[in-house]
Amino acid sequence: MNRSLVTGGAGFLGSHLCDRLIERGDDVLCVDNFFTGSKSNVAHLLGHPRFELMRHDVTFPLYVEVDRIFNLACPASPVYYQHDPVQTTKTSVHGAINMLGLAKRVRARILQASTSEVYGDPEVHPQPEGYWGRVNPIGIRSCYDEGKRCAETLFFDYHRQHRLEIKVIRIFNTYGPRMHPNDGRVVSNFIVQALRNQDITIYGDGQQTRSFCYVDDLVEAMLRMMDTPAEFTGPMNVGNPGEFTMIELAEKVIALTGSGSRLVFQPLPSDDPKQRQPDIGLAKKSIDWEPKVALGDGLKATVAYFRKLLAA
Ligand SMILES: NC(=O)c1ccc[n+]([C@@H]2O[C@H](COP(=O)([O-])OP(=O)(O)OC[C@H]3O[C@@H](n4cnc5c(N)ncnc54)[C@H](O)[C@@H]3O)[C@@H](O)[C@H]2O)c1
């Protein structure tokens, strides 16, 4: 039986990962400071004999006995990561140092939830892992982008210097139930606005594209990545290459919710990337993975979640 630690386990992705780990028989320690996550995301697991929830901030060291560490702790949406940018960088950088230190002490295998944001506003499209990115080091998104880039550096240095078994995945936009309703991420924004019959806010002309991966597909990739042979480190892109413009997404959400919302346009925030699409060739080859859930199906499940949440 694996003893798995999930940092950020009470968040959107972390809570789904905890579900899957419990399902497959792991002993799960979920660590979170509840900045953007909540106990309600894991409330259904609280009585489970193989599940434990600990309030802890990863910027402080942690001493526990585990075999595997999934390092997800970090606010993921601009609204929250820009709220206290210094703490965001600390969470990525000190958090990585603390979790890598723990992995080194107990010889655990460790996976980092990195991000497509390490590519910044890319000149290469779609983005393969070999692309080094175009990131503004001093902009308002830098606390997140550079924090995650530095965390990757630390992972690879611990690997080279201390022979740690590391796995780095670069996650592209992922959506699904348990996303925060007002964290400004585009899928949750559009759905909540549509369900409330409010105007749907589109930044810029709405022609910028994103690719959206459903959470179940993402978690499957995370689990497969963790089980790859020791020498396979990544970084590996994980996401759905299907590309949609913001206007297309808004129209799909309006159709699914039956909403009377109108589209309204606002200026593009600074440093907002125009285009983002993963090249998932490496994931296909290395973990035999590609996303299975179509955008329409994933949105349906997500709309159902938000409908219930807003009605409560
Ligand atoms: N969802 C996406 O589209 C996406 C894309 C790229 C990368 N990621 C990465 O995946 C991870 C999970 O993202 P998510 O979408 O579930 O976001 P989320 O905000 O729902 O989850 C992050 C969790 O980390 C916790 N946390 C934050 N700072 C902490 C700290 N200092 N100590 C302990 N816990 C802390 C939060 O309370 C929350 O539960 C993040 O590292 C994020 O950068 C997510």
Side-chain angles (χ1 to χ4, degrees), residues 204-221:
D205 61 5
Q207 292 306 324
Q208 69 275 36
T209 63
R210 291 290 184 277
S211 60
F212 302 102
C213 184
Y214 189 62
V215 59
D216 290 357
D217 282 332
L218 194 280
V219 170
E220 178 62 33

Side-chain angles (χ1 to χ4, degrees), residues 137-197:
I138 56 167
I140 56 170
R141 302 172 75 103
S142 314
C143 57
Y144 184 72
D145 303 2
E146 296 289 20
K148 289 284 190 181
R149 285 171 68 97
C150 184
E152 286 199 10
T153 307
L154 285 160
F155 267 69
F156 279 86
D157 281 333
Y158 266 78
H159 172 66
R160 285 184 286 256
Q161 201 174 328
H162 301 295
R163 308 211 167 281
L164 224 62
E165 288 185 17
I166 62 154
K167 309 283 168 192
V168 175
I169 58 168
R170 292 181 178 155
I171 304 170
F172 285 66
N173 275 353
T174 301
Y175 70 99
R178 301 188 199 147
M179 290 180 92
H180 209 284
N182 45 16
D183 69 359
R185 281 194 258 189
V186 64
V187 173
S188 45
N189 255 9
F190 284 7
I191 293 178
V192 169
Q193 287 171 332
L195 288 174
R196 290 183 173 147
N197 279 311

Side-chain angles (χ1 to χ4, degrees), residues 11-13 32-33 35-37 57-58 72 144 148 174 185:
F12 159 50
L13 297 181
D32 209 295
N33 70 350
F35 174 45
T36 50
D57 187 319
V58 295
L72 274 64
Y144 184 72
K148 289 284 190 181
T174 301
R185 281 194 258 189

